[in-house]
Amino acid sequence: MYRTHNCGELRLADVGKTVTLAGWVQRVRDFGQMSFIDLRDRYGITQLVVDKSDVGREFVVQVTGKVVERSSKNPNIPTGEVEIAVGELKVLSAAETPPFTIEEVSDGGDELRMKYRYLDLRRAPLQRNMMLRHRMAQSVRRYLDEAGFLEIETPYMIGSTPEGARDFVVPSRMNPGEFYALPQSPQTFKQLLMVAGYDKYFQIVRCFRDEDLRADRQPEFTQIDCEMSFVEQEDVLATFEGMARFMFRETMGVEFGEEPFVRMSYADAMARYGNDKPDLRFGMEICEITNIVKNRDFAVFNEAEYVGAVVATGCADWTRKQIDEMTEYVKRPQIGAKGLVWVRVDDEVKSSVDKFYQPDDLQRWIAEVGAQKGDLVFVVSGSRLQSLRVLSELRLELGERLGLRDKSRFAPLWVVDFPLLEWDDDTQRFYAMHHPFTSPKPEDIALLDSDPGSVRANAYDFVVNGVEVGGGSIRIFDSGLQARMFDLLGFTPEQAQAQFGFLMNAFKFGAPPHGGIAFGFDRFCSLFGGSDSIRDYIAFPKNNSGRDVMIDAPSLIDKSQLDELCLISTAK
Ligand code: ASP
């Protein structure tokens, strides 16, 4: 037997027992003829007292000895009241000095820790993340199983489609010159499962998108993918609000009370928060003042399509330097503001546009935006969409600086009534805002011909703390309406048939009304864990250039392999 207990288990009550432990040496402290060793496994750390030995960091050892009460206790760890007086120590596996310290906080840089990911994964913070991920996955399975969902797998080798993001492709040896694509999501398959009568489906499934990477994106990522038949939007929202509550309760101990989650229309979210995934942990809503600022000789506002403001609560005492910092923040190319107008609401009202506006004018603005004495008002102008974008970023940054975005608080909501289509100026065509299978709201179908841009969809997003955690829709289940949708998206009937004929044909054989949702599981985990990076919740993630630096992938392949696949070598 390798061990009688794990390294997180022993307590005062065990004093006197003879035990055997096995694990990794985290640290050795030598005191003359005696050494203290911190022995680690995924359950915790237990202190060993040994005669001087020559084990080093990360050796795997097995020890047998007596549990004794420590004279100087460590209140920070559960095993901190005891130690093992080791009688016998056996080295099971020696270790080279690790390239970085494997402790709560490591001295290793990002690249190095990625290269030795298996060592980084030994660290307690990452082990906690993996355990959280596991518990979340289990709670999803428990809830959905209880609700009658079936877990069904769909293929990873499918066909490429031009809609959506770029596909990763896989050459087919048996079909020279042809390619599979890895799924961006199991969307069409889960809809076919509904046609096949499976009624309630889910899968915790890997998806692949060949996009540029950011902190919250990976080329392969995991979705909790779900679909249901004979449902309307309300049924889907109720089921998955239930799942979210269950996950919060089971894995985080967070309860939200009786009130249903906030529902907000896309139009409202845009007008009040400047984006479709509002962070509701704090107020400071955007307020439009276009109509009351065009009465003076200030061309910037007079020519603007939109003028809007956010109130920085209690910031009237900000220095010019602090205000300039905010201005610089929104002028960064990623945000692209031209500048910021400000109004300081104090005993005396001062603004950056005092040359153009009278105190009475400013008082009207202040009343309109609901600012109080002690506040600082920021005003942004320009095109409506661009201004809202700037105001959104400004609001979030102010929230950050004012400490209003507490990671241990959660503010979930549903954003509903998304537009069905989005116009793209570059390509001069509509794109599906969610995806081409999303159904228009029945009451808006008449607008499909006259004003397609204003048609709303039966689509919804689940948002927590400004993060889009999930999204889905009620689907089109009529082959005629689906064909019309492809037409609106600029497909010829032949193209639609070639790309999605299998789905439209399936709809001809008795398709039930259906709808579903998919959650970004990695993001859900990082949100629960209080981190901005999904990488910390994926055991073996890729770096920002899409590389796995541990196994050094992607990599060149042999000429013979290329030949077999009928691919031309680009290798030197
Ligand atoms: N397949 C969709 C997505 O990946 C989610 C859904 O509509 O269920 O965003």
Side-chain angles (χ1 to χ4, degrees):
M1 192 157 63
Y2 274 114
R3 55 184 176 187
T4 56
H5 295 79
N6 64 49
C7 296
E9 219 179 333
L10 296 168
R11 302 283 184 276
L12 260 191
D14 299 302
V15 165
K17 286 184 190 159
T18 298
V19 299
T20 302
L21 301 183
W24 285 262
V25 172
Q26 174 153 314
R27 232 202 249 206
V28 187
R29 277 154 294 145
D30 289 324
F31 290 97
Q33 281 314 93
M34 218 174 57
S35 301
F36 289 98
I37 294 176
D38 285 343
L39 192 67
R40 171 197 351 103
D41 63 14
R42 84 162 157 94
Y43 307 94
I45 287 178
T46 299
Q47 178 163 295
L48 313 177
V49 190
V50 299
D51 291 342
K52 188 136 187 52
S53 80
D54 46 11
V55 300
R57 277 178 186 267
E58 302 310 314
F59 274 47
V60 180
V61 300
Q62 182 188 38
V63 295
T64 299
K66 241 196 179 86
V67 183
V68 296
E69 183 170 356
R70 278 205 215 179
S71 51
S72 74
K73 300 192 168 51
N74 178 355
N76 300 321
I77 57 173
T79 60
E81 293 189 301
V82 299
E83 62 195 10
I84 313 298
V86 172
E88 198 186 325
L89 183 150
K90 191 163 146 201
V91 173
L92 299 177
S93 190
E96 287 179 19
T97 307
F100 48 85
T101 51
I102 301 175
E103 294 182 12
E104 184 75 28
V105 178
S106 173
D107 59 0
D110 268 356
E111 262 316 86
L112 194 62
R113 284 187 291 115
M114 288 281 269
K115 177 149 190 240
Y116 295 92
R117 183 70 173 175
Y118 48 90
L119 295 182
D120 207 21
L121 283 168
R122 271 186 204 164
R123 293 171 50 229
L126 279 166
Q127 299 213 335
R128 284 196 295 270
N129 293 353
M130 293 306 129
M131 290 185 236
L132 173 66
R133 186 179 174 109
H134 164 81
R135 284 202 311 279
M136 289 176 70
Q138 299 317 307
S139 77
V140 166
R141 291 207 160 88
R142 261 200 309 283
Y143 177 86
L144 291 176
D145 178 52
E146 194 60 34
F149 282 76
L150 299 175
E151 185 168 4
I152 301 174
E153 286 155 282
T154 52
Y156 278 165
M157 295 161 73
I158 66 171
S160 185
T161 59
E163 280 306 90
R166 208 177 288 112
D167 284 325
F168 280 103
V169 295
V170 179
S172 165
R173 179 184 55 81
M174 287 192 285
N175 303 274
E178 297 190 314
F179 293 81
Y180 301 99
L182 303 178
Q184 298 185 23
S185 87
Q187 186 60 36
T188 50
F189 288 93
K190 67 175 173 177
Q191 292 192 241
L192 293 171
L193 285 170
M194 294 304 109
V195 176
Y198 285 84
D199 197 69
K200 291 189 188 114
Y201 141 96
F202 87 100
Q203 190 179 187
I204 300 183
V205 63
R206 199 68 52 78
C207 301
F208 307 84
R209 292 181 195 173
D210 188 1
E211 294 174 305
D212 294 332
L213 306 179
R214 299 188 307 237
D216 63 346
R217 271 206 203 145
Q218 282 277 309
E220 47 177 314
F221 60 98
T222 303
Q223 288 192 339
I224 308 167
D225 190 48
C226 312
E227 197 76 7
M228 309 167 77
S229 290
F230 305 111
V231 287
E232 295 174 332
Q233 178 164 310
E234 281 308 315
D235 303 306
V236 179
L237 298 194
T239 300
F240 293 98
E241 181 159 329
M243 185 182 91
R245 284 174 186 271
F246 186 78
M247 291 169 72
F248 270 106
R249 184 183 316 125
E250 295 266 299
T251 57
M252 301 290 290
V254 172
E255 291 283 356
F256 288 104
E258 304 282 290
E259 287 286 297
F261 289 169
V262 171
R263 301 271 181 94
M264 195 181 293
S265 71
Y266 170 85
D268 245 18
M270 291 303 290
R272 292 164 57 190
Y273 299 93
N275 70 53
D276 58 4
K277 40 181 199 297
D279 185 344
L280 298 192
R281 280 174 298 180
F282 66 107
M284 293 173 40
E285 289 183 24
I286 294 167
C287 182
E288 179 173 1
I289 54 171
T290 316
N291 291 333
I292 61 167
V293 298
K294 295 196 180 241
N295 55 341
R296 297 285 176 247
D297 198 18
F298 187 47
V300 177
F301 283 180
N302 293 344
E303 286 159 16
E305 178 194 3
Y306 174 99
V307 183
V310 284
V311 179
T313 317
C315 296
D317 60 353
W318 272 24
T319 60
R320 265 318 281 267
K321 182 158 167 284
Q322 281 174 296
I323 294 177
D324 289 346
E325 262 174 40
M326 282 316 295
T327 310
E328 288 314 310
Y329 181 81
V330 294
K331 279 167 94 175
R332 292 177 314 152
Q334 306 92 297
I335 303 180
K338 299 227 170 52
L340 272 183
V341 167
W342 53 265
V343 183
R344 207 192 284 278
V345 191
D346 223 333
D347 288 333
E348 193 191 0
V349 172
K350 283 212 62 70
S351 84
S352 58
V353 287
D354 282 347
K355 268 209 299 244
F356 302 97
Y357 292 94
Q358 304 299 315
D360 278 359
D361 297 325
L362 298 178
Q363 286 300 345
R364 261 186 89 197
W365 302 7
I366 291 167
E368 186 75 14
V369 302
Q372 308 288 327
K373 188 174 154 208
D375 293 344
L376 181 62
V377 184
F378 286 109
V379 185
V380 171
S381 64
S383 79
R384 182 168 189 273
L385 273 183
Q386 165 65 3
S387 306
L388 284 172
R389 237 171 59 82
V390 173
L391 286 163
S392 165
E393 295 289 343
L394 181 65
R395 173 180 174 271
L396 291 173
E397 180 62 18
L398 286 169
E400 200 67 57
R401 291 186 183 213
L402 298 175
L404 302 172
R405 305 181 72 191
D406 173 2
K407 286 189 166 28
S408 65
R409 273 186 51 227
F410 297 96
L413 79 149
W414 292 103
V415 178
V416 297
D417 299 349
F418 277 84
L420 182 70
L421 301 163
E422 210 172 12
W423 179 257
D424 180 57
D425 266 337
D426 290 344
T427 49
Q428 288 289 303
R429 57 161 275 204
F430 280 113
Y431 283 84
M433 186 128 180
H434 186 48
H435 52 53
F437 316 108
T438 295
S439 72
K441 286 205 173 287
E443 62 269 32
D444 287 5
I445 286 187
L447 293 168
L448 276 176
D449 290 325
S450 54
D451 185 8
S454 75
V455 174
R456 290 166 309 158
N458 271 325
Y460 32 80
D461 274 357
F462 181 59
V463 174
V464 184
N465 294 1
V467 177
E468 181 202 325
V469 182
S473 60
I474 297 300
R475 323 299 183 188
I476 296 169
F477 65 102
D478 172 82
S479 54
L481 184 55
Q482 187 64 71
R484 180 116 173 265
M485 185 71 184
F486 284 128
D487 180 45
L488 272 174
L489 296 176
F491 285 68
T492 64
E494 294 71 32
Q495 286 168 332
Q497 193 58 35
Q499 293 294 335
F500 297 109
F502 63 93
L503 187 70
M504 288 192 288
N505 290 341
F507 286 171
K508 292 178 186 157
F509 292 97
H514 61 286
I517 190 166
F519 295 89
F521 186 53
D522 313 287
R523 269 193 212 174
F524 222 141
C525 294
S526 68
L527 179 80
F528 273 24
S531 159
D532 291 328
S533 168
I534 63 171
R535 261 196 233 170
D536 299 342
Y537 296 81
I538 297 173
F540 297 104
K542 310 276 186 284
N543 75 4
N544 277 342
S545 344
R547 299 198 68 84
D548 183 326
V549 292
M550 180 184 65
I551 60 168
D552 197 22
S555 59
L556 298 175
I557 57 175
D558 280 347
K559 176 151 190 329
S560 60
Q561 266 178 301
L562 288 170
D563 285 345
E564 205 169 42
L565 295 168
C566 299
L567 296 175
I568 296 161
S569 168
T570 56
K572 303 237 169 58

